[in-house]
Amino acid sequence: MSEHASENHPESAEDTAEGMSAHDIQAKWQQYWGEHETFLAGGDDDERPRKYILGMFPYPSGDLHMGHAINYLYPDIVARYWRHRGHNVLNPIGWDSFGLPAENAAIKRGADPREWTYRNIDQHKAGFRGYGMSYDWSRVLHTSDPEYYRWNQWLFLKLYERGLAYRKKSAVNWCPNDQTVLANEQVVDGRCERCGAEVVKKKLTQWYFKITDYADRLLDDLDALEGHWPHKVLQMQRNWIGRSTGADVDFRIEGRDEPVTVFSTRPDTLHGATFFVVAPDSDLAAELVAGASAEVRARFDDYLDQVQKQTEIERQSTDRPKTGVFLERYAINPVGGERMPIWAADYVLADYGHGAVMAVPAHDQRDLDFARAFGLPVKIVVDTTVTGGANEGGDLAELDPSATGTALVGNGRMVNSGEVDGLDKATAIASTIERLQAAGTGRAAKNFRLRDWLISRQRFWGTPIPMLHLQDGEVVPVPEDRLPVKLPSVEGLDLRPKGTSPLGAAESWVRTVDPVSGEPALRDPDTMDTFVDSSWYFLRFLSPNSEEFAFDPDQAKRWAPVDGYFGGVEHAILHLLYARFITKVLFDLGLIDFEEPFSNLVNQGMVIMDGAKMSKSKGNLVELSDLLGQYGADALRLGLAFAGPVEDDKEWNGVSLAGAQKFLARALRAGDETTSPVGADAAAGDAALRRITHRLLADAPGLVEQTKFNVLVARLMELVNGIRKTIDSGAGAADPAVREAAETVALMLEPIAPHTAEELWARLGHEPSVSAVPWPDADPALLVQDTVTTAVQVGGKVRATIEVPADISEADLEAVARADEKVQRALEGKEIVRVIVRAPKIVNFAVKG
RNA sequence: GCCGGCGUGGCGGAAUGGCAGACGCGGAGCACUCAAAAUGCUUUGUCGAGAGACGUGUGGGUUCGAGUCCCACCGCCGGCACCA
């Protein structure tokens, strides 16, 4: 345990009134909930409105720690809240239990990843129970169970049937440390998202999901999530999908029958295209160079070799000098007819657009850099100095890009461009596309930054891909009724990463027979990316034990989509994009009637220490079990809920669990001191305390629904302070308003500190459980005060505050304000220009002089 | 470079355009106690003895009134980036 945590008074949880420690209270109610199955979701006959609340399910690495404590607290608060609002709540938990850490741990110990995984899951389960989570424990799932991953395989087959799962040979991201391929989304700054090793490219045949077919929908449907998902996540997904619109233009190549198509967002600058560039690692480059001289071929081979040795980090570094090789071939500009030399250069990517570009050096910085490096011609076709241009009022001659090195990228008026001369950018683009279309040499087009999802992994601990390789090379699916394809035993298998799947060595598993043709066949030895597992798990919770369906469509209709989804921003693209994609596929399959999986999304912040993420490697991981032992679940829950806004990171040193304990004890004591009987008529009680109670009753639902849990806690503190004051120096402990307030504390504290709330509710003489007792409505009469404090401003500055009746008229209020001595002093020697009266809140004398 | 977000006391943070700093942490003082712990009470933005003045990154603007809306700038954080 670190020195920091010890600042939080490490003595064990405080003894509370009636001699019960926080531990006793916690144990008592956890046992009660377990015995009474308090938090099971209602069945099909439950008529209450439904809410489906979910936290992104955990990966079972090690024990639960602070990160889990905060991640899973928020959805639990919301789930518990909706029960008080009369809803049938589904709040399930499961484990994302396939993946590399289990495999790596198994390799280290020469054990089975299953042992490590399920042992950790058991620990997690115990930890969550100790933390007071209101899960429906009858719906637990683990993605590494054959009963679960069977349906990953089913999903794969569904995608395969629709042509959305396919195999291709392509340069893929390869992690040399984990010895497996990675999806684009798992490469962060050129490094493996998991282990941080520099990613290299490798040409391999792999399985892909065709997420690019859904690019438009994935992008356009984000608009409807505005206001329901964090703006940041929507923006990140938009960036990631990265749609560009422009035109495809066909270029004739000398000595080639078929034209070559390129994509451009600036077809208006076609007259300025002076050369042509192909990606060195593209098939087109290989083909073009084959027809060139031996000398060029040798130069090209050297260059390609160099390019392929680069790591992603090297390739992505900006302001790298431009390199390339002239291929001694020419393309013909379709509008001007000029011969354009064809170069191979690595600033053009093989897997974007068509792997080739028309280079317009005057108006594209990259093309200009290349032109200047190799002495290629630069032709200005947009005058950017005219109205609306980037260099408005400048002298075009002085802006010559070949001299300045700065491309003219802005809007302007077309020049040297024949028929489009004089047009502005947008009009010229439209006009050019029209002309190309008419000539049959081009058309409007769009391109996406998004690439297809590479799902093959050369690792053991994942879902086997349900495909068979026949002797003649044909690849056929395992029939649905033969699923699951179960993972073999690890016995005799070497799980160490070696570049091919360890499953390939499981001879008796790999060698099988195609049940359709009866021919001998080899199983596909790769396993699926674990993000496949998590792309639909929220549906499995709806019918977790079904052997008939991945999920029951009727149950999906009843519960889905998820009403409130909680998770870290680290999944802004990865998991959330994949889940959206699979949801749309399932919609197209007619299995669900919605196209977005998560109606509302909350990104909670992390718990950090000294400004940095807590982690095992830094040795500052605070384990949940230690904290539950020292402070108890409720103090931790309350402390975290109060620490700040949900989406902000929380500095652990600033979280005061001692303060949280103090408040909980104070709340319980308020209940213990209450002496009025159950059912006492609150109407006869102290009005001041009742107003605090009823203002909270009025505001609390909104606070929870806007996830302002820290403010809700603050308001509960105010109410408890109000009770204290009333008992000690006001109407006294027997006043029925004290009971009303204490009961309100029990009801509204329940989502945050449920054990204490149950105990308080019971000590106030009620039957358990408080967890589904409806929150009462506020009495509107108590929300309006008899007298209010009005601020009186002179020239916008507050000069006095006056007590007035709440229903005072504007005229009366102005008169009272004018009569105030301080106001008169402030008004002295000034001319009142105007008087603004907003009864009963404010009076403002606008003055002159 | 493109896109987005955020700047409030010593600290975490509150605040439908209407009394900035709720609530808490920390600090100071007091009561209870032989003493401490616990508990309770008072106080705590800055300057000023006080009246009061000044205060939400900076500079403008809109408004009777701006932390909140608009413009420009500064700083920090995040996403994308040789994507044609």
Side-chain angles (χ1 to χ4, degrees):
Chain A
M1 171 81 10
S2 79
E3 54 178 324
H4 300 288
S6 63
E7 285 165 15
N8 279 321
H9 299 287
E11 69 270 15
S12 66
E14 201 53 35
D15 275 3
T16 54
E18 302 194 358
M20 272 182 100
S21 72
H23 291 120
D24 298 339
I25 292 172
Q26 191 170 305
K28 171 181 167 186
W29 293 106
Q30 282 170 12
Q31 191 188 347
Y32 176 93
W33 298 328
E35 282 168 4
H36 293 80
E37 301 190 316
T38 308
F39 305 116
L40 289 191
D44 294 352
D45 53 349
D46 193 318
E47 304 270 299
R48 294 174 295 172
R50 286 170 291 268
K51 282 284 176 193
Y52 184 3
I53 306 300
L54 186 62
M56 292 179 187
F57 66 166
Y59 180 82
S61 62
D63 206 349
L64 293 172
H65 51 77
M66 282 314 306
H68 297 103
I70 198 150
N71 289 359
Y72 298 98
L73 168 63
Y74 296 137
D76 196 57
I77 291 174
V78 172
R80 287 174 175 275
Y81 161 75
W82 285 111
R83 294 193 191 98
H84 290 290
R85 306 296 287 172
H87 282 64
N88 177 11
V89 173
L90 174 57
N91 182 31
I93 186 73
W95 278 268
D96 189 13
S97 48
F98 268 141
L100 275 181
E103 201 167 331
N104 291 339
I107 292 164
K108 217 173 188 173
R109 293 163 214 187
D112 190 321
R114 290 173 181 91
E115 289 168 23
W116 184 91
T117 300
Y118 289 95
R119 196 178 54 239
N120 283 344
I121 289 176
D122 285 344
Q123 268 190 29
H124 273 204
K125 285 178 180 169
F128 278 141
R129 284 184 192 273
Y131 193 39
M133 307 308 276
S134 67
Y135 292 134
D136 180 340
W137 289 102
S138 73
R139 293 173 185 254
V140 172
L141 63 81
H142 321 113
T143 59
S144 54
D145 292 347
E147 296 74 25
Y148 184 90
Y149 69 73
R150 162 190 183 170
W151 299 107
N152 284 339
Q153 294 169 339
W154 166 85
L155 181 67
F156 181 98
L157 294 179
K158 289 294 156 202
L159 270 82
Y160 181 74
E161 281 166 26
R162 291 182 74 89
L164 293 170
Y166 69 98
R167 237 158 76 99
K168 77 171 172 192
K169 186 170 188 177
S170 164
V172 300
N173 301 303
W174 178 263
C175 173
N177 180 51
D178 291 338
Q179 293 274 306
T180 185
V181 298
L182 300 170
N184 259 327
E185 289 77 6
Q186 289 162 321
V187 180
V188 179
D189 294 331
R191 292 174 181 277
C192 172
E193 178 230 4
R194 280 228 97 79
C195 70
E198 283 190 28
V199 168
V200 295
K201 289 282 183 189
K202 201 166 174 177
K203 206 143 197 173
L204 289 172
T205 303
Q206 300 283 309
W207 286 99
Y208 291 82
F209 282 172
K210 213 168 183 181
I211 192 171
T212 51
D213 268 14
Y214 286 73
D216 272 318
R217 284 162 73 186
L218 287 167
L219 186 64
D220 294 337
D221 291 356
L222 290 172
D223 293 346
L225 295 172
E226 205 78 60
H228 301 278
W229 278 34
H231 182 73
K232 180 181 178 174
V233 174
L234 297 175
Q235 213 52 38
M236 284 169 75
Q237 292 219 355
R238 289 187 181 113
N239 278 344
W240 189 260
I241 297 167
R243 180 165 58 200
S244 303
T245 55
D248 275 348
V249 185
D250 303 333
F251 284 74
R252 200 159 57 76
I253 307 288
E254 285 182 2
R256 189 181 199 265
D257 296 336
E258 289 297 308
V260 169
T261 304
V262 302
F263 173 74
S264 173
T265 55
R266 294 293 304 274
D268 54 318
T269 62
L270 188 49
H271 278 94
T274 55
F275 58 101
F276 199 91
V277 188
V278 298
D281 49 344
S282 64
D283 293 343
L284 179 62
E287 182 216 303
L288 290 174
V289 81
S293 68
E295 192 206 328
V296 168
R297 287 208 305 271
R299 289 229 310 269
F300 174 81
D301 287 345
D302 279 354
Y303 183 61
L304 181 59
D305 214 40
Q306 260 179 53
V307 167
Q308 284 174 337
K309 275 196 201 126
Q310 291 166 14
T311 65
E312 279 298 286
I313 289 183
E314 286 163 354
R315 198 193 63 74
Q316 286 176 5
S317 74
T318 41
D319 30 87
R320 208 156 48 94
K322 291 283 183 288
T323 56
V325 175
F326 177 40
L327 300 184
E328 290 181 350
R329 300 287 299 264
Y330 292 88
I332 306 300
N333 190 320
V335 292
E338 296 95 345
R339 291 178 90 210
M340 303 159 60
I342 302 178
W343 288 67
D346 68 352
Y347 81 92
V348 172
L349 308 178
D351 62 347
Y352 183 78
H354 305 281
V357 301
M358 64 177 213
V360 186
H363 306 289
D364 181 282
Q365 190 61 49
R366 296 153 300 177
D367 295 342
L368 180 64
D369 294 342
F370 192 82
R372 279 161 55 93
F374 294 99
L376 294 161
V378 176
K379 180 182 171 192
I380 294 176
V381 292
V382 185
D383 181 353
T384 55
T385 65
V386 297
T387 319
N391 313 94
E392 190 165 347
D395 180 350
L396 191 57
E398 283 174 13
L399 294 169
D400 180 9
S402 53
T404 63
T406 303
L408 302 172
V409 294
N411 193 7
R413 189 177 298 145
M414 304 308 300
V415 292
N416 300 324
S417 293
E419 58 285 343
V420 293
D421 273 354
L423 301 180
D424 65 15
K425 177 175 157 184
T427 318
I429 290 175
S431 167
T432 302
I433 291 174
E434 230 167 81
R435 280 163 206 281
L436 289 170
Q437 205 133 15
T441 56
R443 61 219 66 88
K446 59 190 162 190
N447 256 296
F448 297 92
R449 216 196 66 94
L450 181 71
R451 308 293 147 92
D452 277 339
W453 176 13
L454 198 176
I455 60 125
S456 307
R457 293 294 179 274
Q458 288 71 48
R459 299 302 301 246
F460 172 84
W461 192 229
T463 304
I465 292 175
M467 298 298 287
L468 300 172
H469 300 259
L470 304 184
Q471 278 170 321
D472 62 3
E474 199 190 343
V475 181
V476 297
V478 174
E480 239 180 76
D481 60 8
R482 296 298 181 107
L483 300 183
V485 176
K486 284 194 197 178
L487 281 170
S489 155
V490 289
E491 203 108 347
L493 282 188
D494 179 9
L495 298 186
R496 277 175 301 185
K498 54 190 164 299
T500 57
S501 172
L503 286 172
E507 281 286 324
S508 62
W509 181 85
V510 169
R511 294 191 183 284
T512 185
V513 171
D514 171 23
V516 176
S517 63
E519 283 179 46
L522 297 178
R523 293 194 187 281
D524 196 301
D526 286 352
T527 52
M528 293 182 210
D529 182 0
T530 56
F531 280 108
V532 175
D533 314 3
S534 55
S535 65
W536 66 280
Y537 78 108
F538 61 97
L539 291 165
R540 185 65 183 170
F541 282 126
L542 309 180
S543 36
N545 303 311
S546 174
E547 290 179 20
E548 190 186 346
F549 306 109
F551 56 91
D552 181 340
D554 289 339
Q555 294 296 328
K557 206 168 209 124
R558 190 164 286 125
W559 287 106
V562 175
D563 296 292
Y565 197 41
F566 293 75
V569 74
E570 66 271 16
H571 288 115
I573 293 168
L574 290 155
H575 160 57
L576 289 169
L577 188 66
Y578 296 144
R580 294 183 60 229
F581 161 57
I582 294 299
T583 298
K584 289 175 196 301
V585 173
L586 293 172
F587 173 85
D588 290 350
L589 287 164
L591 296 172
I592 51 178
D593 58 2
F594 54 91
E595 289 203 62
E596 285 293 337
F598 313 118
S599 302
N600 294 282
L601 175 69
V602 175
N603 282 142
Q604 81 283 48
M606 293 182 298
V607 180
I608 55 175
M609 192 178 271
D610 303 325
K613 189 175 175 172
M614 289 182 173
S615 73
K616 217 172 214 166
S617 56
K618 291 200 197 74
N620 60 0
L621 211 58
V622 180
E623 303 246 332
L624 185 62
S625 50
D626 294 343
L627 292 167
L628 293 182
Q630 282 181 27
Y631 300 99
D634 281 352
L636 181 55
R637 293 174 62 118
L638 185 90
L640 290 174
F642 186 54
V646 168
E647 60 276 10
D648 290 6
D649 287 346
K650 278 121 206 132
E651 177 58 49
W652 178 239
N653 298 323
V655 177
S656 171
L657 298 191
Q661 281 183 323
K662 203 165 112 180
F663 167 73
L664 292 171
R666 214 166 134 87
L668 266 185
R669 217 178 307 127
D672 290 339
E673 291 174 26
T674 298
T675 52
S676 56
V678 175
D681 183 14
D686 178 70
L689 181 57
R690 293 204 73 208
R691 267 197 293 274
I692 303 175
T693 301
H694 282 258
R695 274 206 304 272
L696 181 54
L697 287 173
D699 295 346
L703 290 173
V704 179
E705 286 173 39
Q706 294 165 63
T707 65
K708 293 183 168 185
F709 309 131
N710 57 330
V711 183
L712 177 63
V713 172
R715 297 288 300 275
L716 281 164
M717 288 173 169
E718 277 183 318
L719 183 54
V720 170
N721 289 346
I723 297 173
R724 186 78 265 140
K725 204 167 182 173
T726 305
I727 293 176
D728 290 347
S729 54
D735 190 281
V738 168
R739 163 166 287 277
E740 183 187 40
E743 288 178 351
T744 301
V745 171
L747 286 167
M748 302 207 160
L749 186 60
E750 194 273 343
I752 295 164
H755 313 86
T756 307
E758 291 276 21
E759 184 64 22
L760 177 56
W761 188 247
R763 289 190 194 175
L764 284 166
H766 293 285
E767 287 299 311
S769 154
V770 73
S771 64
V773 175
W775 282 5
D777 291 329
D779 178 352
L782 286 164
L783 300 179
V784 208
Q785 306 204 5
D786 300 339
T787 65
V788 294
T789 310
T790 299
V792 184
Q793 301 179 332
V794 175
K797 292 191 200 307
V798 178
R799 296 299 173 188
T801 54
I802 51 179
E803 288 292 319
V804 296
D807 55 357
I808 192 168
S809 74
E810 298 210 336
D812 289 351
L813 180 57
E814 184 181 335
V816 174
R818 277 178 189 277
D820 186 272
E821 183 203 337
K822 282 182 175 172
V823 174
Q824 286 186 351
R825 212 185 314 148
L827 283 172
E828 228 160 82
K830 295 195 174 75
E831 182 192 342
I832 298 173
V833 182
R834 202 176 138 192
V835 185
I836 292 91
V837 184
R838 296 281 178 274
K841 290 183 111 173
I842 203 151
V843 179
N844 188 8
F845 294 97
V847 292
K848 209 160 62 176

